Amino acid sequence: ITLLEMERNLGFSGGCNAGIAHALDNGFEYVWLINNDARSKADSLCELIHAAKKLPDAGVLGGALLEQKKDGIERTGMGYIDYWRAKTFTREASSMDVKACDWVCGGNMLLRAAALAHCGAFDDAYFLYKEDVELCVRLTRSGYECVYVPGAEVFHEGSGSTSGQRSIWR
């Protein structure tokens, strides 16, 4: 494990970009982003890489985020953009099939290094939230696919970095 220490809080985008730059500088083929308040099922990364190998045009692949709610487990991760209303949503897929989508959540996101080298990483202007949407849109506009892989699951605690006094960030 390589620890990259930043001199200040760069937000989600800046922190991830430091790791992405390190990965690209060291010749990694993929970069997997997973939130600090999430834990992965044992085979989630394998599911994402397996799908990436089958879909060479996929620049970004994301899996499901499972979160405990009052009435059970909420399963999200597949993003949809309603351009008419200028809104973004996540929704549960209607099946367990791998499928194209508008965006995937940065809390469980596999990025192909070649796509990042071509399009760039996160826009640092997005300190926290919606940076994943912007990157997915930029990648798809450059000809890469954005793919949802429902079998790649992480259990998300929810708002681990923005709870308490930081809740205004949400």
Side-chain angles (χ1 to χ4, degrees):
I1 295 175
T2 302
L3 175 65
L4 304 175
E5 282 190 70
M6 306 296 111
E7 292 183 17
R8 61 185 176 81
N9 183 353
L10 302 174
F12 185 85
S13 294
C16 288
N17 283 344
I20 288 168
H22 176 78
L24 294 179
D25 289 346
N26 286 279
F28 295 177
E29 190 174 351
Y30 303 103
V31 177
W32 186 31
L33 303 177
I34 182 170
N35 276 8
N36 63 327
D37 58 355
R39 57 188 164 77
S40 170
K41 282 182 53 180
D43 62 346
S44 292
L45 180 57
C46 292
E47 290 274 343
L48 289 167
I49 291 175
H50 178 73
K53 289 184 185 277
K54 288 174 77 173
L55 302 165
D57 291 335
V60 56
L61 303 95
L65 272 75
L66 308 175
E67 196 166 328
Q68 184 67 50
K69 299 291 184 181
K70 285 187 248 179
D71 56 344
I73 300 281
E74 180 182 71
R75 178 186 189 85
T76 61
M78 186 172 78
Y80 164 73
I81 301 172
D82 182 339
Y83 287 99
W84 180 254
R85 295 187 294 165
K87 301 257 184 210
T88 61
F89 304 95
T90 59
R91 59 180 168 199
E92 186 171 341
S94 57
S95 72
M96 289 298 285
D97 296 332
V98 172
K99 61 181 74 177
C101 62
D102 293 337
W103 64 280
V104 293
C105 180
N108 182 11
M109 175 185 272
L110 184 75
L111 296 157
R112 190 179 302 273
L116 290 169
H118 180 255
C119 295
F122 289 114
D123 181 339
D124 283 326
Y126 292 84
F127 184 81
L128 185 64
Y129 298 119
K130 304 304 180 200
E131 67 288 320
D132 45 8
V133 177
E134 188 278 331
L135 179 59
C136 290
V137 169
R138 189 163 19 101
L139 286 165
T140 54
R141 287 183 177 170
S142 294
Y144 294 97
E145 292 179 358
C146 179
V147 178
Y148 177 65
V149 182
E153 299 174 333
V154 299
F155 298 93
H156 185 239
E157 295 300 321
S159 305
S161 296
T162 56
S163 59
Q165 293 178 341
R166 294 185 215 100
S167 64
I168 189 122
W169 289 3
R170 285 184 271 136

